Amino acid sequence: MRNSEIARVLRIISVYEDMMDGFFKARAYDRAARAIESLTEEAEDIYRRGGKEELMKIPGIGLAISEKIGDLIETGRTEHLEELKKRLPVDVEDLMGLEGVGPKTIKTLWQKLKIRDIAGLEKAARGGKIRELPRFGEKSEADILRSIEFKRKHSGRFLLGQALPVLEEIRGRLAKVPGVKRVIIAGSARRMRETIGDADFLVATSDPKRAMDFFQGMPDVEHVFSRGKAKVLVGLKSGMDADLQVVEEKSFGAASQYFTGNKDHNVALRRIAISKGMKLNEYGLYRGDRQIAGSSEEEVYEKLGLEWVPPEMRENLGEVETAAKGKMPDIIPYGSLRGDLQTQTSWTDGSNSIMEMASRAKELGMEYMAVTDHSKRMAFTGGLDERKLERQAREIDTANKKMRGFTILKGIEVDILRDGKLDLKDSALKKLDIVGASIHSSFNLSRKDQTERLVNAMENQNVDIIFHPTAREIQKREPCDLDMDAIFDKARETGTILEVNAMPNRLDLRDDHIRAAKEMGCKFSIDSDAHALKHFDYLLLGVGQARRGWLEKKDVINTLSLDRMLKELK
DNA sequence: GCCGTTTTCGGCCCGACTGTTTTCAGTCG
């Protein structure tokens, strides 16, 4: 069983414990889930190597939880959860996916109205039953319906950051199947869209049957929807649909173009082909019956008179015209970040020490990293006040002496309070190398108030970066209602950097915002917001979004050397 | 349920916000 699956089960138990007022147990399970998720090794491997004793060496995993993890690995289930499910037979995950619905609400819904899932909840809400519950009213009933509506709008899609590692693994396996010459992940995953609907694999092989047999026989496959000569469509156990398309090598480029999309981009390309007396399909670019391009994407674009368009830009949002003019921007390459300007450590809600985080960042080839733990308003994380911040500064000084060829910067993620004031004194912020400010509360202010709030923060001379500027959470919470033009304008005017936060569920700024901000002359940082060593991997997603926003290397300050990067700050 | 150089028992999870309230429970980060 994979770590993500184990963590999922632990989280469900955590919610159940919360419902039963097992408050501290809930916390323990939640912590254990996080611990498992941030492992760089599979828990199953650890267990196979040294049993539950070995699991118990992981901080946050004790006797009871290690046993349950053992059960999960051995049998795929744990008695504890089965018992809880008997007592409260509700779809916890389904309901918890709604903004504003938590453990206690779920419990009440079951006890008073026998509601098990979102479908039942929606029915009750539409029937005016929710407002009759204790501590609920018309407003909360309407809120619930709005949450359901929101979730529905995004249903059936998966976060890129969750899906990509799974898809990469499948890709790797496909590449080893005898006969397979080339294989890519196509579709929206290749375009690095923040969420993806299904997975598209494309293979060039001399033995199509073998590749298809392998694909549908993978342990990840729940059932096979259809299979033809060149295509298999399956449902994965994760709930995602996946298809495998098999083509000849001479068509691989045309097919990867065709299956990467998006649809509008492809239509635009086919129109150009027609206008030049050619025909473009998934097998190649043709003049009459003769294939004049097809084995590589590059030649397809070239023969159409276009510069090659990176997959992330293929949304028909002006890139085709730009490519036709030969004016494609040189968008930021993966792997070009030299530092990370937002990280959290065990001083607050991160899992690792300053030294551990810095060592990992260095290992990944970076030259600097800012430690930006939460400020005091984020009390549950142990957010830093002015005094604790000073203590942390001393630890950073010590750590820096131990690091070679790497610099740890003193920073903070300071809360922007409701009125636009900051959560820490200017005198404390002034001493830091880098100050990121962000919104973690009052997401629903009016556009005017919310915009003023952020503008106020940017006007502070100490605020260098606005972290996750819109505070959205993908599939859960809309971006704050902000006058983005005013924000971008103020960012440029004050020299405030805007962050592209790389967390899979944030990706904030969003691609279209990034592009708009760039056009207004803003500068950016791409940060992992890492809370654990593994989270540095998310930088890939951040760069992906930056590429979708047409950013070039020069737009992103943490592609610069430390000295030059610091000069970009206020 | 986890943890331990103040503790093997008794701490851990705090403050803001919202909607329901007339003093507070639930959610969020």
Side-chain angles (χ1 to χ4, degrees):
Chain A
M1 186 177 274
R2 306 177 133 275
N3 286 348
S4 57
E5 185 61 17
I6 294 171
R8 209 185 114 226
V9 173
L10 294 174
R11 281 225 168 76
I12 295 175
I13 297 178
S14 168
V15 176
Y16 268 112
E17 291 295 351
D18 219 341
M19 282 193 247
M20 311 291 188
D21 293 322
F23 187 67
F24 293 109
K25 280 197 199 179
R27 228 176 89 76
Y29 276 102
D30 194 58
R31 208 155 78 91
R34 281 206 301 164
I36 293 292
E37 252 171 2
S38 9
L39 289 176
T40 42
E41 198 186 352
E42 288 295 318
E44 175 154 357
D45 295 340
I46 298 173
Y47 178 75
R48 301 269 177 230
R49 190 172 65 233
K52 59 179 198 251
E53 287 75 22
E54 201 65 19
L55 287 174
M56 285 172 69
K57 288 181 186 163
I58 303 165
I61 312 278
L63 185 61
I65 293 183
S66 70
E67 274 172 0
K68 281 163 191 120
I69 295 174
D71 289 344
L72 284 172
I73 290 169
E74 299 283 356
T75 69
R77 53 201 288 277
T78 162
E79 197 54 36
H80 186 55
L81 181 57
E82 305 296 326
E83 285 298 319
L84 291 167
K85 275 187 182 163
K86 267 183 210 153
R87 286 172 64 186
L88 272 163
V90 296
D91 191 339
V92 162
E93 269 185 308
D94 192 38
L95 290 165
M96 281 294 285
L98 296 175
E99 168 89 3
V101 174
K104 296 295 157 60
T105 305
I106 293 174
K107 190 181 178 188
T108 309
L109 290 173
W110 167 251
Q111 288 177 333
K112 303 278 183 195
L113 297 169
K114 293 285 175 275
I115 287 168
R116 291 169 183 267
D117 49 26
I118 291 180
L121 178 58
E122 184 175 19
K123 211 171 141 201
R126 293 210 186 280
K129 295 269 189 269
I130 301 299
R131 68 182 72 180
E132 293 163 8
L133 293 173
R135 298 210 146 268
F136 285 79
E138 280 182 41
K139 187 88 198 308
S140 17
E141 192 172 85
D143 281 350
I144 281 176
L145 283 170
R146 189 157 9 94
S147 285
I148 292 172
E149 193 52 41
F150 182 75
K151 196 184 170 196
R152 184 153 301 149
K153 227 168 58 190
H154 298 276
S155 67
R157 297 193 71 86
F158 295 78
L159 292 182
L160 177 67
Q162 285 168 355
L164 212 46
V166 180
L167 303 192
E168 282 294 350
E169 203 190 304
I170 293 176
R171 197 193 67 82
R173 280 186 259 154
L174 277 170
K176 291 194 194 113
V177 175
V180 169
K181 299 196 173 64
R182 303 173 72 180
V183 48
I184 62 162
I185 302 165
S188 49
R190 183 161 178 238
R191 299 201 312 277
M192 296 293 276
R193 269 198 63 178
E194 60 191 39
T195 61
I196 65 169
D198 50 24
D200 303 287
F201 294 94
L202 181 67
V203 155
T205 175
S206 56
D207 190 350
K209 183 176 177 305
R210 192 159 187 174
M212 286 157 74
D213 285 347
F214 175 85
F215 186 73
Q216 73 178 59
M218 295 185 303
D220 321 59
V221 172
E222 184 148 314
H223 55 268
V224 180
F225 289 119
S226 65
R227 171 162 176 170
K229 273 187 194 159
K231 189 171 186 166
V232 198
L233 180 60
V234 302
L236 300 180
K237 284 176 181 155
S238 61
M240 193 188 305
D241 292 347
D243 62 52
L244 176 71
Q245 186 79 38
V246 178
V247 295
E248 289 180 66
E249 235 184 324
K250 66 174 187 192
S251 294
F252 191 78
S256 40
Q257 195 288 310
Y258 183 89
F259 289 107
T260 299
N262 76 357
K263 204 170 165 186
D264 292 342
H265 176 89
N266 289 353
V267 169
L269 258 57
R270 272 177 254 143
R271 277 213 190 103
I272 292 175
I274 293 165
S275 76
K276 295 184 190 257
M278 298 182 278
K279 188 180 79 173
L280 177 65
N281 60 28
E282 60 263 57
Y283 302 106
L285 183 63
Y286 294 85
R287 190 177 290 283
D289 287 338
R290 197 167 61 90
Q291 193 208 54
I292 55 174
S295 70
S296 81
E297 271 191 348
E298 284 80 358
E299 63 173 0
V300 170
Y301 281 91
E302 192 200 319
K303 292 275 163 56
L304 286 172
L306 300 171
E307 278 188 274
W308 182 73
V309 179
E312 297 88 340
M313 296 172 71
R314 299 182 196 169
E315 300 281 348
N316 199 32
L317 294 170
E319 76 281 4
V320 177
E321 294 80 353
T322 308
K325 284 186 210 140
K327 297 209 162 148
M328 288 297 284
D330 184 13
I331 61 173
I332 178 173
Y334 290 100
S336 46
L337 300 180
R338 296 170 75 168
D340 193 337
L341 302 181
Q342 185 181 183
T343 65
Q344 266 75 231
T345 72
S346 45
W347 276 77
T348 56
D349 59 348
S351 305
N352 296 92
S353 68
I354 291 172
M355 214 34 203
E356 287 168 338
M357 292 294 276
S359 303
R360 179 69 186 146
K362 190 183 170 199
E363 234 173 76
L364 292 170
M366 284 190 273
E367 297 161 26
Y368 53 90
M369 171 193 107
V371 171
T372 55
D373 277 299
H374 287 290
S375 63
K376 62 179 187 275
R377 201 207 71 91
M378 296 288 278
F380 88 105
T381 68
L384 310 182
D385 59 18
E386 287 78 358
R387 282 179 60 189
K388 224 164 148 189
L389 197 53
E390 296 240 354
R391 286 219 317 271
Q392 187 186 56
R394 290 199 289 276
E395 183 175 319
I396 292 175
D397 286 335
T398 312
N400 265 326
K401 279 181 199 139
K402 291 184 202 153
M403 299 293 299
R404 292 228 172 272
F406 189 90
T407 307
I408 308 167
L409 298 169
K410 293 166 192 162
I412 188 80
E413 177 176 13
V414 65
D415 254 56
I416 306 172
L417 305 177
R418 192 191 170 103
D419 58 3
K421 293 203 178 72
L422 301 177
D423 190 31
L424 291 172
K425 292 193 185 105
D426 281 335
S427 56
L429 298 178
K430 212 172 161 177
K431 293 179 196 157
L432 298 169
D433 298 313
I434 192 158
V435 173
S438 58
I439 289 176
H440 291 114
S441 61
S442 300
F443 305 111
N444 293 323
L445 297 186
S446 70
R447 169 171 297 207
K448 180 173 167 290
D449 290 348
Q450 199 71 277
T451 304
E452 271 175 25
R453 182 184 187 187
L454 220 44
V455 163
N456 271 337
M458 287 191 280
E459 279 173 344
N460 184 305
Q461 268 311 299
N462 296 308
V463 172
D464 299 304
I465 309 181
I466 300 296
F467 286 161
H468 48 76
T470 73
R472 71 152 175 175
E473 230 187 281
I474 300 176
Q475 296 180 332
K476 195 149 184 185
R477 187 174 60 228
E478 294 282 4
C480 285
D481 191 5
L482 289 160
D483 178 349
M484 296 311 281
D485 278 352
I487 298 296
F488 299 153
D489 211 32
K490 184 56 75 172
R492 191 204 47 229
E493 179 199 318
T494 57
T496 309
I497 307 298
L498 299 172
E499 183 183 63
V500 177
N501 187 294
M503 287 297 261
N505 60 339
R506 286 202 185 268
L507 297 177
D508 183 9
L509 292 175
R510 196 172 69 191
D511 44 18
D512 56 327
H513 286 149
I514 295 172
R515 199 166 155 198
K518 176 190 160 86
E519 275 163 22
M520 290 185 71
C522 296
K523 294 274 188 191
F524 305 82
S525 68
I526 302 173
D527 307 325
S528 69
D529 199 355
H531 286 61
L533 301 181
K534 230 178 95 182
H535 295 171
F536 285 115
D537 297 347
Y538 295 146
L539 285 168
L540 177 87
L541 308 176
V543 176
Q545 299 317 298
R547 289 166 63 85
R548 289 179 61 80
W550 295 33
L551 290 194
E552 299 179 85
K553 213 169 155 182
K554 63 178 165 55
D555 301 313
V556 180
I557 65 165
N558 50 330
T559 60
L560 298 170
S561 67
L562 177 62
D563 288 348
R564 289 184 53 204
M565 185 279 292
L566 287 172
K567 289 201 182 89
E568 296 288 327
L569 304 177
K570 288 186 202 163

